[in-house]
Amino acid sequence: MRKFFVEEKNEMIEFSDEDIKHLKVIRLLKIGKEIKCYNQNGSEILVKIINLNPFKAIKVEMISEGKNHEPYNITCYMGVIKKNFFELVVEKLNELNIYKIIPVYFKYSQRNYILNYDRLNKIASESSKQCNRFKKIIIEEPIDFQKMIEKIKDHDVSFFCFENETSSNNLSNTQIHSKNKDISFIVGSEGGFSDEELEELKKTTISVRLTKTILKSETAAIYAASNIIERYFNEK
């Protein structure tokens, strides 16, 4: 059965236009009808429809708190890439329950790539319904490289994915104390990193090579996220 993800605002419950249409199709769009939904905190709540034109709904009761549905405390600093590839990253990192994506314009990023946030959030919402995620991934506004360098200081540890890393560093053998649970990773855009960016990244983050082959940006983001979850959040 379809799950309804709603927002609690000023004692009222907000449904998306798409979900209101779906309620009508399945004949639940009736005054007094009570529906189980999930709010933005991942809690299951009972909602009652109190008006149809305009549509209004209120929370009747809290069924369960969403304490077990928290996303992994992982932030992806993702180079801005072509629209369809960036959308794929949003969809798949949302399925993997990653906490946040922060788009970054690196020196070699195409500045004419403009992100459509309405579409990205819709993709995240639909992905959440499909994968039973209760708090959809946060997608922040794009930042530049220097702003990213400042922000990564807030994390316990940060990796950057570099296909030309010559050491034995990879996500499987890098040793991090188990208490460090705020992790970030950085994936460049199609043009890669500039020499200046590489020099700065090597001072502040851990350089890792993901595979023996060179991965496309969107593949690197999904692969890195999967490995970080397995290595640092699913430890036996």
Side-chain angles (χ1 to χ4, degrees):
M1 184 176 178
R2 186 188 183 103
K3 290 181 173 62
F4 295 98
F5 294 88
V6 298
E7 292 193 20
E8 294 188 65
K9 290 186 177 180
N10 300 322
E11 299 183 354
M12 301 300 293
I13 302 298
E14 292 190 1
F15 284 76
S16 68
D17 291 341
E18 183 180 349
D19 281 343
I20 291 174
K21 291 178 183 177
H22 188 71
L23 286 171
K24 184 176 181 180
V25 169
I26 62 177
R27 299 182 181 180
L28 293 180
L29 196 62
K30 302 174 183 177
I31 293 177
K33 188 66 179 178
E34 294 185 348
I35 307 163
K36 290 182 179 180
C37 304
Y38 294 95
N39 66 12
Q40 63 266 42
N41 297 318
S43 300
E44 189 174 16
I45 59 176
L46 188 64
V47 172
K48 178 189 283 188
I49 298 173
I50 60 172
N51 198 61
L52 297 180
N53 191 20
F55 180 86
K56 291 183 180 181
I58 59 171
K59 182 173 73 174
V60 177
E61 67 173 292
M62 174 81 73
I63 298 174
S64 64
E65 294 189 32
K67 295 179 179 178
N68 296 324
H69 306 304
E70 292 297 320
Y72 298 115
N73 198 6
I74 303 171
T75 297
C76 173
Y77 291 91
M78 182 70 204
V80 177
I81 54 178
K82 290 181 180 178
K83 180 183 73 172
N84 56 324
F85 296 137
F86 198 94
E87 290 174 356
L88 177 66
V89 171
V90 169
E91 179 184 11
K92 298 309 178 185
L93 265 56
N94 187 72
E95 288 180 21
L96 289 168
N97 210 23
I98 301 302
Y99 173 59
K100 183 186 294 186
I101 295 177
I102 302 179
V104 182
Y105 283 110
F106 294 96
K107 181 176 180 178
Y108 296 142
S109 297
Q110 294 290 328
R111 297 282 171 162
N112 60 331
Y113 293 161
I114 306 299
L115 302 177
N116 182 335
Y117 277 78
D118 286 341
R119 177 165 172 78
L120 291 176
N121 280 300
K122 183 176 181 180
I123 288 170
S125 294
E126 290 303 310
S127 170
S128 295
K129 294 172 185 177
Q130 182 272 329
C131 70
N132 282 345
R133 177 169 178 161
F134 296 92
K135 291 183 181 180
K136 69 181 180 182
I137 196 167
I138 296 170
I139 312 167
E140 291 196 354
E141 293 292 324
I143 59 175
D144 62 19
F145 178 79
Q146 289 304 322
K147 182 67 174 178
M148 182 196 74
I149 292 297
E150 289 301 311
K151 289 178 75 69
I152 60 176
K153 295 176 183 177
D154 296 332
H155 304 283
D156 292 320
V157 65
S158 295
F159 299 102
F160 82 96
C161 306
F162 182 44
E163 68 274 11
N164 293 326
E165 172 58 46
T166 56
S167 73
S168 59
N169 280 0
N170 59 58
L171 291 172
S172 295
N173 65 19
T174 303
Q175 298 300 315
I176 297 177
H177 196 282
S178 60
K179 73 176 182 180
N180 288 335
K181 291 299 183 182
D182 183 350
I183 296 177
S184 71
F185 68 99
I186 301 163
V187 177
S189 54
E190 294 98 334
F193 302 108
S194 70
D195 290 341
E196 296 80 8
E197 288 170 341
L198 284 172
E199 184 177 352
E200 185 67 28
L201 285 169
K202 289 181 177 180
K203 293 177 184 176
T204 54
T205 65
I206 301 171
S207 172
V208 293
R209 182 168 184 169
L210 300 178
T211 67
K212 294 181 180 179
T213 57
I214 296 176
L215 304 179
K216 294 175 69 175
S217 296
E218 62 275 18
T219 309
I222 298 166
Y223 182 90
S226 303
N227 276 266
I228 289 171
I229 291 169
E230 179 62 24
R231 175 66 179 85
Y232 301 111
F233 291 86
N234 290 345
E235 290 181 317
K236 301 295 187 290

